[in-house]
Amino acid sequence: MLFPRSAHAALCGVLFLFAAAVQAQTTKLPNVTILATGGTIAGTGASSTTTIGYTAATVGVQSLITAVPEIAKVANVTGEQVFQIASENISDAQWLQLAKRVNLLLAQSSVDGIVITHGTDTLEETAYFLNLVVKSRKPVVVVGSMRPSTALSADGPINLYNAVRLAGTPEAAGRGVLVAMNDQIHAARDVTKANTTTADTFRTTELGMIGYIQGGKPFFYRDVTRKHTVNTEFDLARLDALPQVDVAYAYANVGDVAVNALVAAGAKGLVHAGVGNGSLPARTKPALVAARAKGVIVVRASRVGQGIVARNGEANDDELDFVVADTLSPQKARILLMLALTKTTSTKEVQRMFYTY
């Protein structure tokens, strides 16, 4: 059947517009917001060979974005400077500020994902805190660098590029808060900083990272099984502060000074970073027992860094009314205990949370 010339032209026009619409849809870039908090990724050194002894948190978010023009090819990026600090100085108040901003942004349909630039010293802690309180399935990626922006071998630009790619990837949704460093993808709950200065410092030693980023494309190889983000019971909406929780570190010949001092300073919860399987030294145990008698929640963790702290293993936790940290490091156990104490003071409930998150 032959079409009149005018009808044929009209049909071609419709097909062209349809193809253009399809092409526009397939090439639509995700909208990613970068929230900057400071750290080495925003640091500067005295020279291009300065990789230690530099000054952290001196470069603003717009300069970070401008330094990686390739980002514009993979996402529509906007930046906000939430605060500008070295991450060893981050506070509970700043965690609350950051988390509330993340939740506000993710509730907007115009935001597809978030990247948080952060100092590496406490990056794993901020990531785990957000993993417990973010109320969205959209990707949240925490990223940093081990070398300042002025270094010859600065790792910040490629880490930031990878993080933006990851945050704009639909496959990253629903996996909890992620950490993107050194071409690797880690789950916030399990990752830790394992070396003081090298670029490959972020590792999930026993359980393993969950994926790679190669050629700017994320590849996932395992999933996250512990509950996180939208599936947690923690809500920051009405919180202006977090309960005081501290960590007491165990070592040979340790006594009760630290535990007693922390309780006297107002701790509502204590994480005991014990040796081995969370063992309680004889000179420390009475102080922990006394702390529990005063209403302080005591969590047995381990300074080892890997493995499960067994309930009723190195101590009779049922009798002592203690909680065990499962596989959480002392610093991450502190975070979960703080949030748990916003919901309950029941040790049974707190223990349930440690086996859930």
Side-chain angles (χ1 to χ4, degrees):
M1 178 177 180
L2 297 176
F3 289 96
R5 184 180 298 273
S6 59
H8 182 266
L11 178 61
C12 289
V14 170
L15 291 175
F16 175 80
L17 291 173
F18 177 76
V22 170
Q23 178 68 14
Q25 182 67 28
T26 57
T27 58
K28 181 182 177 183
L29 296 178
N31 299 319
V32 176
T33 299
I34 298 177
L35 299 180
T37 69
T40 298
I41 194 170
T44 52
S47 72
S48 61
T49 57
T50 300
T51 57
I52 57 172
Y54 52 84
T55 303
T58 60
V59 179
V61 63
Q62 292 305 325
S63 295
L64 291 177
I65 295 171
T66 302
V68 192
E70 295 82 2
I71 285 177
K73 298 177 183 179
V74 297
N76 300 315
V77 172
T78 57
E80 292 184 20
Q81 194 75 48
V82 184
F83 36 83
Q84 182 75 298
I85 60 170
S87 71
E88 66 267 23
N89 297 321
I90 199 163
S91 66
D92 295 351
Q94 287 166 324
W95 273 346
L96 290 171
Q97 177 188 351
L98 178 61
K100 289 179 180 181
R101 185 59 181 153
V102 169
N103 280 330
L104 184 65
L105 287 168
L106 292 180
Q108 301 175 15
S109 59
S110 59
V111 177
D112 298 312
I114 286 181
V115 169
I116 299 166
T117 61
H118 200 285
T120 59
D121 284 353
T122 57
L123 186 150
E124 67 195 78
E125 293 171 67
T126 296
Y128 184 55
F129 178 76
L130 294 171
N131 195 58
L132 294 173
V133 300
V134 165
K135 295 304 175 187
S136 175
R137 288 178 50 83
K138 295 178 183 178
V140 175
V141 182
V142 187
V143 66
S145 73
M146 290 302 294
R147 292 165 184 161
S149 62
T150 50
L152 281 173
S153 53
D155 51 331
I158 186 60
N159 285 348
L160 182 59
Y161 175 82
N162 283 341
V164 170
R165 285 285 281 150
L166 183 59
T169 302
E171 290 80 8
R175 298 179 185 270
V177 173
L178 303 173
V179 172
M181 295 280 289
N182 199 42
D183 296 337
Q184 299 175 348
I185 307 168
H186 295 269
R189 183 188 185 278
D190 303 320
V191 70
T192 191
K193 185 173 182 178
N195 187 284
T196 56
T197 57
T198 61
D200 63 344
T201 179
F202 281 89
R203 304 171 193 168
T204 308
T205 308
E206 286 192 332
L207 301 177
M209 60 185 170
I210 64 174
Y212 289 103
I213 302 174
Q214 188 178 77
K217 179 177 173 56
F219 295 87
F220 291 97
Y221 292 93
R222 73 175 183 88
D223 211 345
V224 177
T225 59
R226 290 299 178 98
K227 290 184 178 181
H228 54 74
T229 55
V230 293
N231 294 317
T232 77
E233 58 208 271
F234 308 116
D235 185 4
L236 300 181
R238 296 180 178 85
L239 285 181
D240 296 318
L242 295 169
Q244 180 183 336
V245 175
D246 295 298
V247 179
Y249 198 86
Y251 47 89
N253 199 46
V254 66
D256 59 4
V257 173
V259 171
N260 290 336
L262 293 172
V263 172
K268 305 301 181 186
L270 277 178
V271 177
H272 181 255
V275 294
N277 189 12
S279 301
L280 302 178
R283 295 173 59 202
T284 307
K285 182 177 177 180
L288 292 170
V289 171
R292 181 68 197 108
K294 294 177 181 177
V296 177
I297 303 293
V298 176
V299 174
R300 283 198 307 113
S302 174
R303 70 180 197 181
V304 171
Q306 299 291 335
I308 300 171
V309 175
R311 184 166 181 85
N312 297 318
E314 293 299 317
N316 190 331
D317 297 297
D318 290 343
E319 179 182 309
L320 297 171
D321 201 26
F322 287 176
V323 175
V324 292
D326 189 40
T327 60
L328 287 178
S329 64
Q331 59 268 31
K332 289 183 180 179
R334 172 185 172 267
I335 292 167
L336 180 52
L337 183 54
M338 281 195 303
L339 291 170
L341 287 174
T342 68
K343 305 289 292 186
T344 184
T345 56
S346 164
T347 53
K348 289 184 179 180
E349 275 296 286
V350 174
Q351 186 66 79
R352 175 189 62 80
M353 294 175 189
F354 270 86
Y355 285 141
T356 301
Y357 306 115

